[in-house]
């Protein structure tokens, strides 16, 4: 899918004005901190796009910045490998597999309890994952303030490709693995919310489709 010149310029400006945090090199002779991950195939829900199961070993230190360009503008998420090593490992794997490129976000909410944008479902809301699942990485102390990015799920241990971004607040139980925070581009979500939701309960498809054109990491 072709991206407009304004969107490309905006993404480039965001990228050049950010300082990327990288993990400090491990001392010579010291192994890098890693986590073992368990990815389980879901033949009953095959992959919506071609993607392999990630490797079972994930880095457990440092951060990675993930860049998004949408039809409402760009945003950048800084993901924390220490907080959710398997979750971040999976997300980066899906980004490198171009799983999120040219996709649509099917759910937008703006109620008194929940204000999020839900993405990562390839076919429709909560349908169209990567063909596997993996466990949650939660402590029970999670909170979800504005700018939080976390995995969505359909119950314990059902993480895949679905994720949500909190554009206002989310008064929800601490059952969702936190990947990181939006560090640039929250105004993109403000524009999405201002465009409206095609549901009187303010929980459903956006009035105007929200499209993710391209996602990459640095």
């Amino acid at each position: 899918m072709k991206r407009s010149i304004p969107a490309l310029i905006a993404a480039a400006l965001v990228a050049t004005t950010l300082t990327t945090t990288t993990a400090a090199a491990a001392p010579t002779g010291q192994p890098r901190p890693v986590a073992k991950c368990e990815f389980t195939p879901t033949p009953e829900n095959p992959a919506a796009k071609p993607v392999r199961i990630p490797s079972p070993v994930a880095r457990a230190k440092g951060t990675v910045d993930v860049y998004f360009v949408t039809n409402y503008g760009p945003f950048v998420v800084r993901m924390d490998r220490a907080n959710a090593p398997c979750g971040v490992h999976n997300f980066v794997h899906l980004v490198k597999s171009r799983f999120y490129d040219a996709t649509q976000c099917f759910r937008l909410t703006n109620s008194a309890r929940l204000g999020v944008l839900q993405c990562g479902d390839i076919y429709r809301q909560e349908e169209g994952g990567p063909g596997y699942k993996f466990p949650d990485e939660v402590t029970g102390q999670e909170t979800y303030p504005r700018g939080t990015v976390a995995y969505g799920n359909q119950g314990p241990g059902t993480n895949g490709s679905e994720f949500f971004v909190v554009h206002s607040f989310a008064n929800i139980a601490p059952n969702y693995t936190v990947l990181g925070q939006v560090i640039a581009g929250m105004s993109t979500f403000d524009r999405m919310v201002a465009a409206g939701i095609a549901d009187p309960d303010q929980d459903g498809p956006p009035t105007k489709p929200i499209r993710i054109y391209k996602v990459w990491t640095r």
Side-chain angles (χ1 to χ4, degrees), residues 8-20 65 67 74 76 78 184 216 218:
L8 285 168
I9 293 173
L13 287 173
V14 169
T16 55
T17 55
L18 290 173
T19 301
T20 304
D65 289 350
Y67 296 79
V76 185
R78 182 157 290 165
W216 71 95
R218 287 184 63 184

Side-chain angles (χ1 to χ4, degrees), residues 139-164:
T139 65
Q141 303 300 313
E142 284 76 14
T143 59
Y144 306 91
R146 175 174 162 88
T148 299
V149 181
Y151 275 115
N153 60 51
Q154 287 81 58
T158 58
N159 300 291
S161 58
E162 181 188 308
F163 67 96
F164 62 87

Side-chain angles (χ1 to χ4, degrees), residues 145-216:
R146 175 174 162 88
T148 299
V149 181
Y151 275 115
N153 60 51
Q154 287 81 58
T158 58
N159 300 291
S161 58
E162 181 188 308
F163 67 96
F164 62 87
V165 182
V166 182
H167 63 72
S168 56
F169 51 81
N171 296 325
I172 54 179
N175 298 330
Y176 304 91
T177 300
V178 174
L179 289 164
Q181 299 289 322
V182 175
I183 59 170
M186 281 305 301
S187 60
T188 293
F189 299 96
D190 296 336
R191 287 190 288 273
M192 293 174 182
V193 174
I197 301 170
D199 186 283
D201 294 326
Q202 296 296 284
D203 184 343
T207 301
K208 177 185 175 182
I210 295 174
R211 305 187 189 282
I212 296 176
Y213 293 148
K214 179 70 177 176
V215 189
W216 71 95

Side-chain angles (χ1 to χ4, degrees), residues 3 9 17 23 49 66 87-88 103 108 111 149 162 207 209 216:
R3 290 174 282 162
I9 293 173
T17 55
K49 280 187 170 185
V66 184
V88 174
T103 60
L108 182 63
S111 68
V149 181
E162 181 188 308
T207 301
W216 71 95

Side-chain angles (χ1 to χ4, degrees), residues 16-39:
T16 55
T17 55
L18 290 173
T19 301
T20 304
T21 301
T22 56
T28 304
Q30 296 286 336
R32 284 186 176 183
V34 297
K36 295 295 182 67
C37 307
E38 183 180 357
F39 297 100

Side-chain angles (χ1 to χ4, degrees), residues 90-147:
N90 174 69
F91 204 97
V92 170
H93 171 75
L94 291 176
V95 168
K96 290 181 176 180
S97 301
R98 302 184 66 181
F99 191 85
Y100 294 119
D101 289 2
T103 60
Q104 187 170 328
C105 300
F106 293 101
R107 183 188 184 195
L108 182 63
T109 74
N110 192 30
S111 68
R113 183 184 74 90
L114 188 65
V116 305
L117 173 70
Q118 180 178 310
C119 306
D121 311 309
I122 303 303
Y123 298 140
R124 57 192 65 84
Q125 183 179 327
E126 297 189 349
E127 291 187 29
Y132 58 83
K133 62 183 179 180
F134 60 97
D136 306 314
E137 293 170 287
V138 295
T139 65
Q141 303 300 313
E142 284 76 14
T143 59
Y144 306 91
R146 175 174 162 88

